[in-house]
Every structure is written in C-alpha cells, then in structure tokens.
Amino acid sequence: MDYGIRTRSAGTSRHAKHTISSKDVAWAELIFVMEQKHKQNIKEKFAKQLQHKKVIVLDIPDDYHYMDKALIEILKSALIPYLPT
C-alpha cells in the first residue's frame, strides 16, 4: 500500500552504508531508530537540529545485516502505528 510517505535510511555508525547527516535530520519530519543508543548518538551530534523533531525508538536490537529480510518484516510491523489510516 502506498501511503505517500517518503523515507530515507541512515546509520549512526561511521561504517554505515550512509551515515546520518544534518541534511537528513533537516529533511525528516520523524526519525525512527532501532535502539536507545542510536537516539542518544543522534541527540549528541545534532542537538540543535533536533529541537523540533521527534525521535522514536523502536526497541529493535541492532543485530541484523543491511536489508535483512527478517528485519524488514520487523520494521514493517513496528511502523504500523505511525502510518496514516
């Protein structure tokens, strides 16, 4: 189903395929992270830019590889409450 939502993917690690940038933060209306440590990392790096942003922790262990099929299914389920009805 197409909800008309645009997304970007970025990591907090310097080893991520795409590391989150100030442009990503400025672009986003909502920011979803898998673990609390990711939220803390983003808050430390982008404190000023996050003043009017909401960062939501999904409480998903960051134990998956990029584009892991199991992770994609978990993310789909975890994001349902945030989708428009």
Side-chain angles (χ1 to χ4, degrees):
M1 178 177 274
D2 181 5
Y3 292 97
I5 297 172
R6 295 182 308 145
T7 63
R8 291 184 183 176
S9 175
T12 57
S13 165
R14 62 186 174 98
H15 301 293
K17 186 170 184 164
H18 171 78
T19 303
I20 190 167
S21 69
S22 59
K23 286 183 181 182
D24 295 319
V25 174
W27 176 85
E29 290 181 32
L30 290 173
I31 298 171
F32 294 94
V33 297
M34 292 173 63
E35 295 183 333
Q36 185 65 39
K37 68 180 180 182
H38 301 139
K39 181 177 180 177
Q40 188 61 37
N41 183 293
I42 291 170
K43 281 185 154 189
E44 289 171 7
K45 289 182 180 176
F46 306 105
K48 189 172 184 175
Q49 295 97 320
L50 287 172
Q51 287 180 347
H52 303 289
K53 303 284 181 169
K54 188 168 184 177
V55 180
I56 299 163
V57 180
L58 298 173
D59 290 320
I60 300 170
D62 191 9
D63 298 332
Y64 298 88
H65 293 288
Y66 181 73
M67 297 304 289
D68 183 299
K69 289 181 183 183
L71 174 59
I72 292 169
E73 291 306 312
I74 292 167
L75 286 169
K76 284 180 182 178
S77 295
L79 293 171
I80 287 173
Y82 302 99
L83 296 174
T85 54

